[in-house]
Amino acid sequence: MDRRTIAVTVGDPAGIGPEICIKALDAFAGRLEQGDLRLLLVGDAGTLQETARRLGATAPPVISVDGIADAPPAAILPTTPLSGPVEIGRVSAECGQQAYEAVRIAVEQALAGTVTAIVTAPLSKEALHLAGHDYAGHTELLADLTGVRDSVMMLAHGNFRVTHVSTHCALEDVPKKATPQRIGRVIDLTHQTLRALGIAEPRIAVAALNPHAGEGGIFGRHDIDITAPLVEEYRARGLKVEGPVPGDTVFVKLRAGQYDAVVAMYHDQGHIPVKLLGFGVDTATGQWTALSGVNVTLGLPIIRTSVDHGTAFDIAGTGKAQASSLLEAIDYALDLARPATHQAVA
C-alpha cells in the first residue's frame, strides 16, 4: 500500500463538495507535484471538471482514470455519470445516489488496500434517503459497508478531541444507548486513537449525562450508577480516565489542556464546543471566515476522516466555500496512516 494515497469522496455534487475538493488540489499542488501526497477524487467526473473550470483552478489537471495503479498524483475515479448538469443547491435522489456510490467505491478501494485512507466531503442525508439509502449519516453508512456495528465518531480541532457515545438519535433515547458496554467501547477506542497519535498516556474525561452529574441523584442516577463505577474500573487498571465530569465544565478543562480527549454522551454535547471553536465568523457580516475541524470514524477496519460541516447548499456554486476542514481531514488521515498506527486505530 502506498501510504500517500488518499481517496476523497466528493459527497453530494449539488453541495460544496466539488468546490472544496478542487480547492484542496490547489492548496496541495506543491505536495502533489513533489510526490508527498496522492489524491484520488471519487465522484462525477463531469461535475469536478466543470467546477475546476469555473473556479479557474491552477491545480494539477483532474484526469478521469479507471484504476489507480498508473494514476497521476491528482485523479478522478468516476462514479456513474449524472444524467445531466447538476442543479446546484437542490436536494435530489440522483445526487444522493452519487454520494452513496462514491463512498461505496472508496470503501472498496480502502478494504482492498489500494488506498491508505478515505476522506469524505459532505453528503445530504435527505438526498441519501430519497435515493433509497436509509442511513442517519456517513458514520452509519460506513459501518454497514465495512460490516462494523459499533463504530465511534470523534471530532477534532487541533488538540481539542471529542468522541461520542451516541450521535444521530433523539435525546430521549440517549440514556438507553449509554450502556456500560457502549461507554467502555468509546473509552477504549479513544485511548487507542490517542496512542496512535503519539500520546503515550492519554488523559480522558467522560462527560456526565445529567446536569452536575446528577447532583447526588436529584437530577437522575445514570452518572452515579452507570458512568462512575465504569470509570473506577478503568482507573483501577491504571488508565488516566476521569468522570463523570459535568458537561458545563468538562470542555473548558479540555481546552485548558487538562485532558487529551472528552467522551461526550450525545451528539450536540460534543458537537457544539468543537464547532464553536472551529468555525470562525465575521461578526460584522455574519459570514463564515473559517470552517475548521475533522470528523474521524473509529473502530472501522479502514481509516476514515471527514470534514466537520455539511453540504452548505446555500453557498454552493458561489466560490465562497472554505476548504480548510477538508485540508485538515486529509492531513489527519495521513497522520493516522503512519505504519505504526494503523493497527492500533482499527
Side-chain angles (χ1 to χ4, degrees), residues 134-171:
D134 296 329
Y135 299 101
H138 263 122
T139 301
E140 295 77 11
L141 170 56
L142 287 160
D144 193 32
L145 290 173
T146 58
V148 171
R149 290 292 177 268
D150 204 14
S151 61
V152 170
M153 177 188 292
M154 181 176 82
L155 297 186
H157 173 63
N159 291 331
F160 197 93
R161 310 175 188 93
V162 182
T163 49
H164 296 69
V165 172
S166 65
T167 51
H168 300 118
C169 68
L171 281 176

Side-chain angles (χ1 to χ4, degrees), residues 13-38:
I16 63 172
E19 181 177 328
I20 61 175
C21 285
I22 296 301
K23 287 181 175 179
L25 294 186
D26 262 351
F28 285 134
R31 290 168 63 179
L32 290 166
E33 291 168 1
Q34 293 167 14
D36 294 335
L37 174 65
R38 297 179 70 207

